[in-house]
Amino acid sequence: MEIVETKKCPVCGEPVIGRADKKYCSDECRTFSWNLKCRERRIAGKDREVGKIEKDLMEMQAGNCRTAIKIIALVTRFCKILYKFGT
C-alpha cells in the first residue's frame, strides 16, 4: 500500500497539483508570495521604526480596516517621504 502525501499551497492551503517541485497552487498565489517577500525586503532595508509602522499598516490594510486606518496610512506615507528627504 502506497501512501501519497499531497502538498498544500503555503498561501491559501489548497492542494498543489502538478510537477513534483511545484510550490503554489496557482499563478495568483505564486505572485502574491513573491510580492510579499519583496515588500518584506524593502521594509527590512528601511529604518526599523518606519519599517515596523509600514508592516503594521500592511497587515491592517490586508484585513480590510476602516477608512480611518486608510487615512492614517496616507499620513504615515507622507511622514515617511518627509523623513526620507530630511525635512
Side-chain angles (χ1 to χ4, degrees):
M1 185 157 124
E2 186 178 322
I3 298 174
V4 178
E5 185 177 319
T6 58
K7 290 191 293 185
K8 301 257 185 217
C9 177
V11 175
C12 67
E14 292 292 320
V16 177
I17 301 170
R19 297 186 332 253
D21 62 339
K22 190 173 178 183
K23 294 180 183 178
Y24 303 98
C25 67
S26 66
D27 288 338
E28 290 82 15
C29 285
R30 182 178 48 81
T31 303
F32 178 84
S33 179
W34 174 256
N35 289 338
L36 187 61
K37 287 176 188 175
C38 288
R39 279 189 215 130
E40 288 174 355
R41 280 189 225 130
R42 271 195 314 261
I43 290 170
K46 295 179 181 178
D47 179 65
R48 287 182 179 223
E49 289 302 313
V50 174
K52 184 178 176 186
I53 291 169
E54 187 175 26
K55 186 175 181 180
D56 291 344
L57 287 171
M58 282 175 24
E59 290 173 2
M60 287 180 203
Q61 287 174 345
N64 295 327
C65 289
R66 296 177 183 219
T67 305
I69 297 298
K70 292 178 183 179
I71 293 170
I72 292 169
L74 289 172
V75 171
T76 302
R77 287 183 189 135
F78 178 71
C79 291
K80 283 177 21 184
I81 292 169
L82 293 177
Y83 176 80
K84 190 175 186 179
F85 291 105
T87 56

